[in-house]
Amino acid sequence: MLKNLSIIFILSSRNVLRNPRRSILTLLAISFGLAGTIVVSSLARGLSYNLAKDTIDHLTGHIQIHAENYLEDPDVSNSISEIPPKLEKVMKSPQILKKAERVRVPGIVMSERESYGVMIVGINPKEELGLSFIAESVNEGKFFDHDSDDGIIIGRKLLELLQTDIGKRVVVMSQDVKNEISDKGVRIIGVFDSQFESTEKSFVFLSIKKAQGLLGLDAKISEISLVTKDYENLEPTLSNLQSSAPNLDVRGWRDIEKFVSALLDIQGKFLIFWFCIVVIAISFGIVNTLFMAIYERIREFGMLQALGMKPIEIQFQVLIESLLLILIGGFIGNILSVIGIHLLESGIDISAFAEGAKRFGIKNVIYPRFVSHDWITANLLVLFLGSLSSFYPAWRASRFTPANAISRAT
Amino acid sequence: MKNNTLQENKLEANVRCKDVSKIYRQGDIEVHALRRISIEIQDGSFVSLSGPSGSGKTTLLNLIGGLDRPTSGEIYLSNLRIDTLSSSELAQVRLDNIGFIFQAYNLIPVLSARENVEFVMQLQGVNAAERKERAYEILNAVGLNGLENRRPGELSGGQQQRVAVARAIVSNPEIVLADEPTANLDSKTAKNLLEIMLSMCKERKVTFIFSTHDKLVMEYAERLIKLHDGEIVSDE
Ligand SMILES: Nc1ncnc2c1ncn2[C@@H]1O[C@H](COP(=O)(O)OP(=O)(O)OP(=O)(O)O)[C@@H](O)[C@H]1O
Ligand SMILES: [Mg+2]
């Protein structure tokens, strides 16, 4: 049977060309379907990427290290008093690109009119640069230069709520290590903007030394935030860090930002769902085309059998016909998707739909993000489901009794 | 090697039908197309099946060619009983032993005249050079030189039938079954085609079985079998 593949192939390819209009329509369905899945999925991935990146930039980083109970109770008593030398060493390894140490405790900020509960974050300005958003988000006033600078940086929304202004003084208040209330008047030296309104409302920044002083922490810190080479593949780095610091709580960002992580997972599943829907639609198109192509050629299939072609060879002929359509359509589809992604490279502005999107931290512009395994999945699905769905028409074509097939009026 | 196996697959072309009946069922209606037909056809003969429309000519040819199965009875090509074979086995028997010529639309539309003629040889595994040579030779013999590369749509009805005859013959079958091969042709063209077939029959010792309404065809036949209502009414 294999030895007849060449003649079968000739029959198949000429039959594809026999009804050009129908073949072109099928090719269009396959190629636009495939290009559609790839382009839309790349936009969805772009959205996910933004969300993950914003989450990471926010203050999370890729990996965070805390004292054992800090995440359940972010109290000064749950601080890291000493970084184990082993951990110190791992953190210097090339997998880790950036590191920031922070103090981070709940507290209150008061102006003469209002007071609000906030998270007081003590930072080293040099370490935050390129790791979290804060270094690049102070749009009014100035950012800290040193880890012992005076002053406080607050969000624009909080500034509004406190009805105060840059250059004025506010009081920060928290519980220190001896469980005493400790407070301090500080001058507002900078105002930051964030895409999350909640961030502007609930975070205030001191220099790390001043925060430690306020809380009586000496050199203790609340958290270490790390940036690695690949935020999607943290496992090896994580386990390295964990084994070097068994008494500390080392976690990846997905473990900390559980909500965002779940959102991304759902989106990933939705994409697979979307792939399947489109590919099933494509498959129906293929089946429909094949049936049209078969039913107008019943007589011919009878004749081919009369000439000595075996049923399985007839099945092959139909399968190759469909495979040709799938491969050519797939090829065009991939070219279209490259063009599509390229055209969208400058981003799609969704600000028209994005009223209030700021509250959810969604940016106004989506950029497509090509993810190779989505591309492979989409292609394989088209190839696999497309071919699979051709089996039935192919089988039908081989099942006509030659005598009946031939006696049919063409 | 290939040719050896082919030779082995060849059957002595005597055709034997024993008590063959064919009943078509359409809903509640049964059509008795053939009623307990028994015939034997010798190697190398030129036989015509005639009879009024609906008498069962096509049905009988289809059964002999294994294109359909009888409702009861046995059909032998030489010693091989074919009515019990699978469709794939039947295809192989046809490929090795039987050529077909139908009334019309015989050819594969997407292949040229030469490719149509080569098609069966290709399935048989004949190499390309030999295929080509034999195809040109036989197309020449049926008077189609110069038209080898035309597709069926670009040939007249008579020319198409000659391609069909060439194709039926070229694979060296033992039997050629022709269902009203001249029905769509004028008498001059029909005569020409019959001359070709008769000479093929004699030169190559091929058994030809025709179905026909055509007096002309009957004149050429060595044996005339008349059917009526699914029964043989005369055999001379
Ligand atoms: N597929 C079929 N289904 C039902 N009845 C059929 C079928 N094929 C043939 N018949 C019936 O069987 C009988 C014999 O048909 P057949 O085609 O063998 O006749 P024929 O002698 O070839 O006639 P014609 O000269 O018109 O070609 C007819 O009554 C016909 O209607
Ligand atoms: Mg007939």
Side-chain angles (χ1 to χ4, degrees):
Chain A
M1 186 200 66
L2 282 181
K3 69 182 192 310
N4 292 332
L5 268 186
S6 66
I7 181 67
I8 294 174
F9 184 81
I10 290 173
L11 287 178
S12 302
S13 52
R14 293 205 188 157
N15 277 311
V16 168
L17 297 175
R18 187 170 176 178
N19 192 331
R21 205 175 63 162
R22 186 169 60 211
S23 295
I24 286 171
L25 282 176
T26 313
L27 289 179
L28 284 180
I30 296 173
S31 51
F32 274 92
L34 182 63
T37 38
I38 294 176
V39 171
V40 171
S41 77
S42 78
L43 287 174
R45 292 296 179 189
L47 209 62
S48 306
Y49 177 73
N50 279 350
L51 188 56
K53 198 167 169 314
D54 290 343
T55 306
I56 286 165
D57 282 355
H58 183 238
L59 280 176
T60 311
H62 298 176
I63 294 173
Q64 289 199 341
I65 305 174
H66 301 100
E68 205 78 81
N69 299 316
Y70 176 84
L71 285 176
E72 288 80 58
D73 177 15
D75 188 80
V76 271
S77 59
N78 293 322
S79 300
I80 303 172
S81 46
E82 189 177 15
I83 298 174
K86 256 173 139 179
L87 176 62
E88 195 85 63
K89 217 174 118 200
V90 176
M91 287 196 301
K92 291 216 170 75
S93 72
Q95 300 157 323
I96 309 282
L97 299 181
K98 284 201 183 320
K99 180 195 90 166
E101 298 180 0
R102 298 183 190 129
V103 167
R104 186 164 167 174
V105 290
I108 289 170
V109 179
M110 286 186 296
S111 67
E112 49 279 272
R113 294 171 202 260
E114 297 284 349
S115 68
Y116 280 90
V118 292
M119 194 51 98
I120 302 167
V121 187
I123 54 173
N124 178 336
K126 300 225 163 58
E127 288 181 338
E128 298 296 336
L129 196 68
L131 190 151
S132 71
F133 76 105
I134 185 63
E136 277 130 34
S137 306
V138 178
N139 294 327
E140 209 183 324
K142 65 187 259 309
F143 189 51
F144 302 117
D145 291 319
H146 300 290
D147 61 0
S148 57
D149 280 2
D150 287 320
I152 186 168
I153 296 174
I154 73 176
R156 185 163 316 274
K157 186 72 189 174
L158 187 62
L159 191 78
E160 248 172 57
L161 293 170
L162 290 172
Q163 300 175 35
T164 178
D165 216 336
I166 195 160
K168 296 206 168 144
R169 291 178 80 87
V170 288
V171 175
V172 274
M173 200 195 272
S174 184
Q175 230 174 67
D176 69 11
V177 282
K178 292 178 205 118
N179 289 334
E180 306 275 337
I181 295 293
S182 102
D183 56 15
K184 191 177 172 195
V186 282
R187 194 176 300 280
I188 300 173
I189 62 163
V191 177
F192 70 86
D193 295 291
S194 160
Q195 35 172 335
F196 303 88
E197 200 174 270
S198 63
T199 302
E200 289 183 6
K201 218 156 72 179
S202 52
F203 285 89
V204 301
F205 295 89
L206 300 174
S207 69
I208 189 165
K209 290 264 162 69
K210 289 291 177 296
Q212 284 165 335
L214 171 72
L215 302 165
L217 275 174
D218 301 326
K220 293 178 190 169
I221 55 172
S222 320
E223 80 182 15
I224 304 172
S225 172
L226 300 172
V227 168
T228 66
K229 277 188 173 155
D230 182 5
Y231 77 95
E232 276 165 328
N233 180 24
L234 291 178
E235 233 359 273
T237 316
L238 260 182
S239 55
N240 251 349
L241 290 165
Q242 272 154 352
S243 61
S244 69
N247 296 323
L248 294 178
D249 184 8
V250 181
R251 295 191 192 194
W253 66 275
R254 274 178 173 269
D255 207 4
I256 296 163
E257 302 289 346
K258 292 215 168 72
F259 177 71
V260 172
S261 178
L263 213 59
L264 293 177
D265 286 343
I266 289 170
Q267 201 185 30
K269 294 208 175 79
F270 172 77
L271 272 185
I272 297 291
F273 182 66
W274 153 251
F275 283 179
C276 289
I277 298 275
V278 176
V279 174
I280 286 171
I282 292 177
S283 301
F284 274 112
I286 293 173
V287 170
N288 184 47
T289 304
L290 288 180
F291 270 121
M292 282 201 287
I294 284 166
Y295 276 105
E296 69 187 21
R297 266 157 55 205
I298 291 178
R299 196 172 197 291
E300 195 178 317
F301 288 120
M303 192 198 7
L304 290 172
Q305 288 202 57
L307 293 178
M309 212 170 179
K310 296 191 177 58
I312 191 157
E313 293 172 327
I314 293 194
Q315 289 169 21
F316 257 86
Q317 190 195 321
V318 176
L319 282 179
I320 291 174
E321 250 176 85
S322 112
L323 211 57
L324 280 173
L325 289 171
I326 292 170
L327 290 178
I328 298 170
F331 181 75
I332 299 172
N334 282 309
I335 292 177
L336 287 180
S337 66
V338 170
I339 294 172
I341 290 176
H342 187 73
L343 288 179
L344 296 175
E345 214 145 55
S346 53
I348 297 181
D349 192 347
I350 55 160
S351 47
F353 319 100
E355 277 305 317
K358 184 173 179 185
R359 200 167 308 148
F360 303 105
I362 293 172
K363 290 201 171 122
N364 286 344
V365 182
I366 311 177
Y367 300 94
R369 185 172 156 83
F370 180 83
V371 175
S372 60
H373 72 79
D374 285 345
W375 175 72
I376 292 169
T377 309
N379 272 282
L380 284 184
L381 272 178
V382 168
L383 189 65
F384 179 73
L385 282 186
S387 318
L388 193 71
S389 57
S390 315
F391 273 93
Y392 180 59
W395 180 80
R396 286 288 301 142
S398 71
R399 293 289 295 174
F400 301 116
T401 312
N404 290 339
I406 289 164
S407 66
R408 245 169 227 258
T410 314
Chain B
M1 239 280 282
K2 183 67 225 168
N3 275 336
N4 278 342
T5 52
L6 270 178
Q7 267 357 107
E8 279 163 21
N9 288 341
K10 293 252 164 173
L11 303 168
E12 286 292 316
N14 77 56
V15 177
R16 206 147 48 85
C17 299
K18 211 177 129 192
D19 290 337
V20 170
S21 296
K22 177 71 184 178
I23 302 170
Y24 292 109
R25 288 196 177 78
Q26 283 186 324
D28 293 341
I29 306 164
E30 289 192 348
V31 181
H32 290 257
L34 293 176
R35 300 167 197 264
R36 302 178 65 88
I37 294 249
S38 292
I39 45 167
E40 196 156 331
I41 293 169
Q42 295 308 320
D43 213 352
S45 43
F46 206 64
V47 182
S48 106
L49 294 175
S50 59
S53 184
S55 57
K57 305 180 293 290
T58 299
T59 306
L60 184 56
L61 282 181
N62 284 343
L63 292 181
I64 293 172
L67 297 180
D68 205 351
R69 291 189 178 79
T71 311
S72 65
E74 298 163 14
I75 298 168
Y76 296 86
L77 297 184
S78 170
N79 294 323
L80 180 68
R81 182 168 174 187
I82 62 160
D83 56 286
T84 51
L85 297 179
S86 73
S87 30
S88 179
E89 290 165 327
L90 280 173
Q92 188 65 44
V93 169
R94 286 193 294 268
L95 180 60
D96 294 328
N97 302 286
I98 304 175
F100 283 94
I101 304 165
F102 303 105
Q103 180 176 338
Y105 308 111
N106 268 299
L107 305 179
I108 303 166
V110 294
L111 299 182
S112 70
R114 179 169 64 78
E115 288 168 328
N116 262 285
V117 172
E118 285 193 31
F119 180 77
V120 180
M121 289 190 278
Q122 210 159 347
L123 292 183
Q124 288 178 333
V126 177
N127 72 51
E130 188 185 339
R131 265 189 342 243
K132 197 168 170 185
E133 194 189 313
R134 273 161 70 179
Y136 273 108
E137 194 185 327
I138 196 107
L139 284 170
N140 196 20
V142 297
L144 287 177
N145 42 338
L147 303 180
E148 293 90 349
N149 293 321
R150 293 213 188 160
R151 295 231 179 145
E154 302 159 344
L155 295 170
S156 73
Q159 289 167 337
Q160 288 184 33
Q161 285 307 74
R162 280 188 272 166
V163 176
V165 172
R167 187 185 60 190
I169 281 295
V170 76
S171 54
N172 290 328
E174 297 296 308
I175 311 166
V176 172
L177 301 173
D179 193 5
E180 310 203 28
T182 58
N184 287 1
L185 305 178
D186 62 69
S187 62
K188 189 161 163 269
T189 318
K191 199 163 175 166
N192 179 273
L193 197 74
L194 280 164
E195 297 283 355
I196 292 169
M197 291 197 279
L198 188 61
S199 70
M200 298 279 173
C201 171
K202 293 305 146 206
E203 272 169 33
R204 305 190 183 219
K205 289 256 176 304
V206 181
T207 307
F208 269 79
I209 308 176
F210 297 93
S211 82
T212 190
H213 291 293
D214 192 341
K215 289 277 180 305
L216 186 71
V217 179
M218 296 178 215
E219 280 167 26
Y220 276 84
E222 297 168 342
R223 181 175 168 191
L224 267 172
I225 299 172
K226 288 211 169 87
L227 290 175
H228 188 88
D229 246 356
E231 289 176 357
I232 294 177
V233 291
S234 84
D235 187 349
E236 24 190 275

